[in-house]
Amino acid sequence: MKYVAMIYGNQAKWDAFPAEAWPEAIARQEAFNAKYRQTGELIGAFGFADAALAQLVRREAGTPAVTDGPYLKTEEHIATLYLLDCDNLQRAQEIAADMPIADTDPVELWPILHASTSDA
């Protein structure tokens, strides 16, 4: 079964993180990514740009109508999205709890109920 795991943050949070701590934090995250890519359980990890760069896109009269985003006006936004493929929910929870950030911040875990087929 597939799951989406998400971590949240904002630019102020990242700016407050000590510059000298970034190399170790990135190394820990890359080790996590490599570990679960090797097991085949991490399909992808995607870091998002600052929420100030988000856009809302609608269709008006058949053409895109773009406004500043994000859609939700919250203090924190999705910072990174992970796509997992696990045998069961317990395994997805174990992987989410193994994320380096899980020591200080929660990881939001969502089951994916269906996916579009790649058949054309």
Side-chain angles (χ1 to χ4, degrees):
M1 182 153 183
K2 291 186 176 59
Y3 298 85
V4 171
M6 296 174 282
I7 61 172
Y8 290 83
N10 58 41
Q11 196 60 47
K13 184 177 185 176
W14 309 136
D15 290 345
F17 196 75
E20 63 275 5
W22 276 110
E24 180 185 349
I26 291 169
R28 288 181 67 211
Q29 190 60 52
E30 287 302 324
F32 168 88
N33 293 348
K35 176 181 178 179
Y36 293 106
R37 277 192 183 108
Q38 287 178 339
T39 68
E41 295 167 302
L42 177 60
I43 297 171
F46 310 93
F48 290 11
D50 183 68
L53 299 175
Q55 298 179 334
L56 301 174
V57 180
R58 293 176 175 82
R59 184 178 52 249
E60 294 179 3
T63 61
V66 180
T67 57
D68 290 340
Y71 184 72
L72 297 176
K73 302 299 181 196
T74 63
E75 189 173 307
E76 291 193 339
H77 304 278
I78 298 173
T80 307
L81 179 141
Y82 302 86
L83 183 57
L84 306 173
D85 190 358
C86 304
D87 289 335
N88 54 54
L89 176 59
Q90 180 179 353
R91 181 61 180 152
Q93 291 168 341
E94 291 168 358
I95 293 171
D98 196 32
M99 288 185 183
I101 200 164
D103 291 335
T104 58
D105 294 291
V107 176
E108 191 169 329
L109 188 63
W110 287 63
I112 296 175
L113 298 180
H114 60 85
S116 176
T117 64
S118 59
D119 299 346

